[in-house]
Structures are given as structure tokens and as C-alpha cells.
Amino acid sequence: MGQMIAIVGRPNVGKSTLFNRLTQSRTAIVDETAGTTRDRQYGKVDWNGKEFSIIDTGGWVVNSEDMFEGEINKQVHLAIEQADEILFVVDAMNGVTDLDDHVAEILRKSKKPVILVANKVDSSDWLYNVPEFYSLGLGDPMPVSAISGFGTGDLLDDVVKKLPEVDSNIADKLEDIPKFAIVGRPNAGKSSIINAFIGEERHIVTDVAGTTRDSIYTRYNKFGFDFYLVDTAGIRKKAKVNEDIEYYSVIRSIRAIEASDVCILMIDATRGIETQDVNIFSLIQRNKKGLVVCVNKWDLVTDKSETARKHFENAIRDRFAPFVDFPIIFGSALTKQRIFKVLETAVEVYGNRKRTVPTSQLNTVMLEAIAAYPPPANKGKYVKIKYVTMLKGSPIPTFIFFCNLPQWVKEPYRRYLENKIRENWDFSGTPVNVYMREK
């Protein structure tokens, strides 16, 4: 279960610049897939072998232009409730403001680990302003320049040091069975589908709870199924802050997605596909999780013809391209229509994530496909792919193609190889990795 760091602070102190610096200039960072601006507010960092996610709270709250105390309060409370550690960013050029004092007061009471980041130390002259932030009562201010990168390595060392220990036993207590997360926009029908699965007979359900904020795994076994439903704390009680439901739901989704193997993404048939559906999809993609799309409330749609369904299905695949090889199920949590089909499909996708293809079979098929359409020559150099194998023990199917000039094999050709793999073996619903290595 990855840990989560939240960045808070008043407007224009450089939260987004710091976020970009911490997430992009580091190793193993999410690739910049075409996404939405919202996506830029969530990134994963691997620093010295510790992996965690970073969230820039300012990026989600509306009215960021006329940010007043109320908006900042929401950000800070959200961070306190959901994050494992908080980076409080202040501006070394401006010194302490009333709003900084106000935020510091809330953070001091919260008992959460906080790191005070004095940003905009873009030249050594600004270092002299840093000590005044001791007045906030949050320990040593760390001088950084998000623009130049000064101090950010020390900052990340500090972040890793202060991260609360994860209860590693939780993972051990869970048996090796699939973990499914149900995600989607607010009101897409997440709780109704959970109720449809679990029904009123709650006794077949055992909860393995982590700490309050962590995921709750509900063991589900009946009708021949055995898996964990990942729920995040707080989904069952209505969020107190109505207007921030969307913001809350994004952070909750992140936690649930990170803790699962396969995500069931609920889409509301009566609303069509919306930006937030695409946001959640890209979170699933970034975390390389399996995917089943469930178009819910199909009972409420007037035109249920095959053509209408095909049309809806194509619209979804268009918006989620280039990843299009995933199952889509039309159903209704309310009438329970095709609800078990959703579970069966999620189990299949879980199986596809674990599928291995024998090396001999892989080479026979793939080398033929490569001979039929070799990689394009680059500046008179020809790429020769000699051999392909599957990586053992990888969380998702990973194929390694050995060749003489791996750097010349570009994205379109890798996509061709991936499509060939998918044509020949069933990897529906799961992302696959295709790597080129020098022989």
C-alpha cells in the first residue's frame, strides 16, 4: 500500500512547481501520458527504494484564483484526513503571512508529520529570510528552490525519514486472492453495486481493517467467488463536505486503486462518459492495474438497441485510447442485471494479469509477426529482433524483446508488437509492458 504525501499552502507559493520538481525529475516517475490537467496533481515517486504518491491539493480545489481562507481550510483538512505526511509550502521571498499562521495553527493541532518547506530560495540572498519561519512552530524550515531544484534531494530524504511505518502485517494477513476496487465518479453507483454483491447477508463478509484511513478489505466468498473488495475508509459514511465530494472521491479512488489488482470502473449510462471518468481511468493506467468497465443504470436508458450499445462502447474506447483491450459490461446495480457477470469478468482479468506464455510458443508467433513487418530502418540502420521472452514474477505481463539496437525501436512499433501479443493471447483488461533490450 503506497503512502501518500499532500502538499498544502496558500496560492502562489509554488506548490505546483514543487510538485513537478519532486515527481518529474526523479527516477521511475510516471510517464507523461496525455491526460488532463487534473492528472498533474498526482504523481508517484520512488526515492531510494521507498515508493509514495504525492498530491498537490491546490490543484483540485475550485476558485483557486480568488483563494480565501475557506478554500485553504478545505485543502488543509482534507490533507490532514487523508495523507500520511504533509508538506506545508511557504514563500521565502514574502516571509510569514496571516494565512500561513492560520494554516500552521491547524497543522500543529493535527499531530500529523509536517515538513515546512521554504520555497523560492532561488538565490543565496533569500536564505537570510528562512529563519523567520521558525515562528510557525513547525520545526526547521527546509530551504528549497522548486525552480532550480536546490534542496529538493534533502527534502525527499526528510520525507522518507518522517513517513510513518506501514503496517506490513496487513499485506501478510491477506490471502493471495484477487483484490478488486470499485471506482467511479460520485453517484455512478459504487455503493449500490457493493450492496448488490454483498446483499443483505452480511455474515458472509469478513472485514480486515487497516487503520482508519487505510483501505478496508472485505473478504467476499459466495457463489463460488473468493476475493477481497477494497473499500476506503469513509466511503460508507457520507462525506461531511458536500461541495468537495468530487475532490474527496479522487483521493479515495487513488487509495483504492493503489491497493487493488483489478479496478471495476463504474460509468453512469444516463450521463455518458465525462472528464472525471477519464481522470480515474488514467489513474488506473498509471498504476498499471487491471480494468473492467461497468456501464451502470442501463435499465434507465431508453434506447437499449444493439446499435446504441455499440455506439456507447465505441465512445468509451475512443476516450480511453490507446489502451482499448478491456471488457465493457452493461448492467444495473439496482435490478442486479449482469452484476455477477462483472465479478466473473474481473476474475478473468485477474487471471489475464497472471497469464504466462511459453517461450517457444511466444517466439514462434512473434518472430513470424516481426518478419512480416520488421521495425522501420533508422538512418540506414536495421533493427534485428532475435528472441523474445516473458519476465517472471512481474506484477503485470512483461515481454522482453532482445535486439541489436533497442534505442531505435519507437513507440508505434512497440504498439504493433503489443497488438500482436493481444491478438494471439488473452490479455484483455490488463496493461502489458513491452521492453527492448540489447542482446
Side-chain angles (χ1 to χ4, degrees), residues 47-68:
W47 185 249
N48 295 339
K50 263 285 187 81
E51 196 187 57
F52 48 88
S53 345
I54 295 191
I55 288 188
D56 168 14
T57 57
W60 265 298
V61 177
V62 271
N63 315 342
S64 52
E65 288 312 300
D66 52 23
M67 178 69 86
F68 47 93

Side-chain angles (χ1 to χ4, degrees), residues 31-33 288 322 366 369-370 373-376 383 385 388 397-403 405-423 431-437:
D31 40 10
E32 273 306 299
T33 32
K288 300 242 183 258
M366 292 311 292
I370 291 162
Y373 175 55
V383 178
I385 300 178
V388 52
T398 300
F399 297 87
I400 299 179
F401 289 81
F402 290 97
C403 62
L405 301 162
Q407 66 280 20
W408 294 119
V409 180
K410 300 284 180 263
E411 189 52 38
Y413 194 75
R414 282 214 298 267
R415 196 161 295 155
Y416 164 75
L417 295 175
E418 179 181 330
N419 289 341
K420 279 289 168 220
I421 291 170
R422 289 179 183 282
E423 274 169 35
V432 307
N433 288 329
V434 171
Y435 293 126
M436 298 292 157
R437 288 279 181 274

Side-chain angles (χ1 to χ4, degrees), residues 337-392:
Q337 178 200 10
R338 310 195 68 201
I339 283 307
F340 286 102
K341 181 80 179 138
V342 173
L343 286 182
E344 279 165 12
T345 311
V347 171
E348 281 162 22
V349 167
Y350 178 78
N352 294 345
R353 274 170 79 82
K354 300 253 182 263
R355 181 181 306 286
T356 53
V357 178
T359 310
S360 56
Q361 200 185 350
L362 195 56
N363 280 283
T364 311
V365 174
M366 292 311 292
L367 293 178
E368 194 177 300
I370 291 162
Y373 175 55
N378 196 321
K379 301 183 182 151
K381 290 193 164 64
Y382 287 91
V383 178
K384 294 190 180 59
I385 300 178
K386 313 262 184 5
Y387 178 73
V388 52
T389 180
M390 250 186 114
L391 193 64
K392 297 258 184 305

Side-chain angles (χ1 to χ4, degrees), residues 150-355:
F150 161 75
T152 46
D154 295 345
L155 173 60
L156 282 167
D157 288 343
D158 217 35
V159 164
V160 169
K161 264 209 292 286
K162 285 209 168 90
L163 269 176
E165 278 305 302
V166 185
D167 180 2
S168 54
N169 304 342
I170 292 185
D172 305 340
K173 282 181 211 149
L174 297 181
E175 288 181 40
D176 192 15
I177 54 173
K179 301 191 224 6
F180 298 151
I182 296 173
V183 292
R185 285 187 320 95
N187 306 328
K190 294 192 291 290
S191 25
S192 28
I193 197 170
I194 290 174
N195 293 341
F197 289 155
I198 293 174
E200 292 317 300
E201 313 97 279
R202 277 300 171 91
H203 59 265
I204 50 142
V205 170
T206 43
D207 280 358
V208 183
T211 60
T212 48
R213 217 182 37 263
D214 283 329
S215 299
I216 293 166
Y217 297 94
T218 301
R219 178 81 176 254
Y220 177 102
N221 37 8
K222 70 173 181 185
F223 306 126
F225 289 113
D226 191 7
F227 60 86
Y228 288 111
L229 265 184
V230 181
D231 192 358
T232 44
I235 253 174
R236 296 204 176 105
K237 59 175 195 300
K238 274 277 176 277
K240 298 175 287 288
V241 211
N242 300 343
E243 69 276 35
D244 275 357
I245 287 271
E246 184 162 313
Y247 184 17
Y248 270 92
S249 74
V250 175
I251 295 208
R252 291 243 166 82
S253 307
I254 290 172
R255 283 207 174 266
I257 290 166
E258 288 181 347
S260 68
D261 300 308
V262 178
C263 299
I264 297 169
L265 172 56
M266 305 287 289
I267 291 179
D268 182 337
T270 61
R271 314 238 337 211
I273 185 152
E274 302 182 312
T275 320
Q276 205 186 338
D277 298 323
V278 182
N279 287 338
I280 295 175
F281 167 76
S282 59
L283 291 172
I284 297 170
Q285 277 293 90
R286 274 195 179 186
N287 281 287
K288 300 242 183 258
K289 300 299 184 182
L291 171 70
V292 175
V293 171
C294 170
V295 179
N296 188 27
K297 309 188 189 177
W298 194 239
D299 52 322
L300 303 178
V301 175
T302 36
D303 183 1
K304 294 190 182 60
S305 68
E306 187 57 32
T307 329
R309 216 182 49 133
K310 236 10 238 149
H311 183 72
F312 202 112
E313 200 170 303
N314 293 341
I316 294 174
R317 294 195 201 276
D318 283 351
R319 290 293 297 275
F320 290 174
F323 180 50
V324 291
D325 185 14
F326 54 84
I328 300 178
I329 291 160
F330 291 80
S332 158
L334 206 63
T335 65
K336 298 204 178 176
Q337 178 200 10
R338 310 195 68 201
I339 283 307
F340 286 102
K341 181 80 179 138
V342 173
L343 286 182
E344 279 165 12
T345 311
V347 171
E348 281 162 22
V349 167
Y350 178 78
N352 294 345
R353 274 170 79 82
K354 300 253 182 263
R355 181 181 306 286

